[in-house]
Amino acid sequence: MLVVKKFGGTSVGNKERIMNVAKRCIEDYKKGNDVVVVLSAMGKMTDELIAKAKEINPNPSRREMDMLLTTGEQTSVSLMAMAMDSLGVPAVSLNAFQVAMHTTSVYSNARIKRIDTDRIMNELEQRKIVIVTGFQGVDQFDNYTTLGRGGSDTTAVALAAALHADACEIYTDVDGVYTADPRKVPNAKKLDEITYDEMLEMATLGAGVLHNRSVELAKKHGVALVVRSSLTTEEGTVVKENVKSKRNEISGVAGDDDAARIAVMGIEDTPGMAFKIFNVLAKKNVNVDMILQSVGHNDKKDISFTVKEEELDIAVKALEDYLPDSYYEEIKASKEVAKVSIIGKGLLNHYGMAARMFNALYKADVNIRMISTSEIRVTVLVNQEDMVKAMNAAHEEFEA
């Protein structure tokens, strides 16, 4: 049996936790299993590296940031190999170059293209535990790239798919997937299982348990995931195609305060203007989420949309630099917003779900600024200060 285990930064945040993870992996190894371990950077190391970079240069290039940030995972995997060696078990640490983790060239947000598995399989055949850096890859020009926050999850799932692993376990500082972030919604409940589609929506909309691309890959390749805590032995949450347990109308409520709103005002109400705006952003690799276009008036219209907060300045500058002044009257931007969503397969089969959500927010005195929907989720944009209140109101309404 081949098992891929991923451990997050808090799981390897100090000596005691590194030794704890080493022992947990060795338990599987001693059962005769092949074990591949994927690690994130220790604790707050990534944040510390970002802070150090900005002390030197407030606006560092993404290429150099990726070069710097990959050192965090390399520290984790080498220390873990040393820990296992001290416990008498052979282990080897490998970085993205040594595995050959091929990615696109989009710095800070690269996508995995393929993984060469020969080196890993060779080490496993020698009965070693293989420890791989998460979050990073190498592009066609031999530059380091990173996969975005939470990218170690994606590394683990991609490895599980490439190696045809029998299990893929994601260990975090929580014991599974909850109906909402229990730090923000005290009544949140742990789910025994959840579908790929529901988990993908939750991950995309702010639930930090899994990286959204890891769920995409798991669904594509049929990799069953288990999310559990590295600090306890309790059963976690299984993420898979279909679930059998009895469900409420929705599976969960998500909140995301890593959002910013841009409004391009007074655009000519003619064909092609939306393309011109979003093409500028696409060329700068800025991901756009919620989009709202107003009804035209006086041959003018407004287009509002959301981006990640960290990409706000890049997006606004790109629009100002590449759109002629004649195309619009004004660009407004705000970081004081957040997204709140309800997610669940039940939205497909129950009428009035959006209305119930809007009523719950109305009773909680939360103003809605934008609305976006899909088959299995309803998302609203609210003032950032209202996010937690809105999450609790929606959670209570649906008894998620």
Side-chain angles (χ1 to χ4, degrees):
M1 183 172 175
L2 196 163
V3 182
V4 175
K5 295 174 173 286
K6 177 266 174 177
F7 293 87
T10 54
S11 301
V12 292
N14 55 41
K15 174 188 172 182
E16 290 72 24
R17 291 190 175 186
I18 288 173
M19 298 305 294
N20 172 60
V21 168
K23 290 173 183 176
R24 293 193 73 153
C25 295
I26 289 170
E27 285 179 11
D28 265 331
Y29 174 84
K30 289 187 172 178
K31 293 175 183 176
N33 297 320
D34 290 324
V35 180
V36 176
V37 183
V38 175
L39 298 183
S40 298
M42 296 172 63
K44 298 292 184 181
M45 182 175 285
T46 299
D47 292 334
E48 291 168 5
L49 289 171
I50 292 171
K52 286 181 184 297
K54 295 197 172 181
E55 286 177 8
I56 303 296
N57 183 343
N59 296 295
S61 74
R62 291 188 175 187
R63 191 266 180 194
E64 296 306 331
M65 284 302 297
D66 280 7
M67 186 72 169
L68 175 67
L69 296 182
T70 53
T71 64
E73 283 69 30
Q74 292 190 51
T75 300
S76 295
V77 297
S78 58
L79 290 175
M80 185 60 67
M82 294 175 195
M84 292 181 179
D85 181 66
S86 74
L87 295 170
V89 173
V92 60
S93 63
L94 301 175
N95 67 15
F97 263 113
Q98 293 164 316
V99 171
M101 188 87 60
H102 302 277
T103 71
T104 59
S105 298
V106 181
Y107 297 119
S108 83
N109 199 27
R111 289 181 176 269
I112 294 173
K113 294 166 66 177
R114 72 179 191 282
I115 300 173
D116 296 342
T117 59
D118 291 350
R119 176 71 186 274
I120 294 175
M121 295 305 298
N122 182 55
E123 300 290 357
L124 291 174
E125 286 169 6
Q126 297 178 51
R127 283 299 290 156
K128 295 178 183 177
I129 294 179
V130 179
I131 310 161
V132 179
T133 51
F135 174 65
Q136 61 186 253
V138 183
D139 72 6
Q140 62 179 323
F141 306 109
D142 288 340
N143 291 308
Y144 273 117
T145 60
T146 63
L147 310 180
R149 285 285 186 158
S152 294
D153 296 343
T154 301
T155 304
V157 174
L159 279 170
L163 296 167
H164 305 290
D166 299 288
C168 185
E169 302 170 347
I170 308 294
Y171 290 84
T172 72
D173 55 351
V174 295
D175 57 354
V177 179
Y178 279 72
T179 52
D181 185 338
R183 294 167 296 186
K184 296 181 174 70
V185 181
N187 294 329
K189 304 177 184 68
K190 189 176 81 172
L191 298 168
D192 294 328
E193 52 187 8
I194 187 171
T195 67
Y196 291 127
D197 290 337
E198 291 169 321
M199 189 68 245
L200 179 58
E201 291 282 9
M202 290 181 70
T204 302
L205 295 165
V209 180
L210 283 173
H211 192 233
N212 57 349
R213 288 186 194 164
S214 73
V215 185
E216 285 179 3
L217 275 176
K219 178 178 173 62
K220 179 179 179 181
H221 296 285
V223 176
L225 304 178
V226 180
V227 180
R228 54 166 56 109
S229 171
S230 62
L231 306 177
T232 71
T233 57
E234 292 186 19
E235 292 299 319
T237 301
V238 179
V239 185
K240 56 185 181 177
E241 186 65 40
N242 297 300
V243 300
K244 297 179 181 178
S245 58
K246 184 178 179 182
R247 307 289 291 277
N248 292 339
E249 297 105 322
I250 69 169
S251 298
V253 175
D256 182 11
D257 58 6
D258 181 22
R261 182 191 187 200
I262 297 174
V264 186
M265 316 291 291
I267 306 165
E268 293 179 23
D269 193 10
T270 57
M273 293 305 296
F275 163 73
K276 290 171 182 176
I277 290 171
F278 294 111
N279 187 49
V280 166
L281 300 175
K283 288 179 177 178
K284 291 294 181 179
N285 298 311
V286 173
N287 286 320
V288 175
D289 186 13
M290 304 173 73
I291 301 174
L292 175 66
Q293 179 173 298
S294 68
V295 175
H297 53 89
N298 299 324
D299 295 325
K300 300 287 185 179
K301 61 187 176 186
D302 305 329
I303 295 181
S304 300
F305 53 91
T306 59
V307 299
K308 286 189 174 296
E309 186 175 326
E310 65 188 26
E311 295 183 335
L312 176 63
D313 293 340
I314 295 171
V316 171
K317 188 175 188 306
L319 292 172
E320 291 175 341
D321 288 349
Y322 295 100
L323 283 183
D325 292 343
S326 60
Y327 281 15
Y328 64 92
E329 294 175 354
E330 183 182 9
I331 295 176
K332 293 183 178 180
S334 173
K335 295 182 179 180
E336 304 303 316
V337 295
K339 291 183 288 187
V340 174
S341 309
I342 57 172
I343 302 107
K345 290 282 190 180
L347 291 170
L348 286 168
N349 304 313
H350 293 80
Y351 296 106
M353 302 289 281
R356 285 177 60 188
M357 180 186 188
F358 301 155
N359 185 49
L361 298 187
Y362 161 68
K363 290 190 290 186
D365 195 30
V366 174
N367 189 39
I368 297 172
R369 302 180 65 171
M370 292 176 69
I371 301 169
S372 175
T373 65
S374 76
E375 288 184 330
I376 62 170
R377 60 105 177 146
V378 177
T379 300
V380 297
L381 193 72
V382 301
N383 294 329
Q384 194 174 74
E385 62 187 15
D386 290 335
M387 184 185 79
V388 173
K389 180 166 62 172
M391 290 174 66
N392 279 274
H395 195 275
E396 182 178 351
E397 169 65 29
F398 294 100
E399 298 180 349

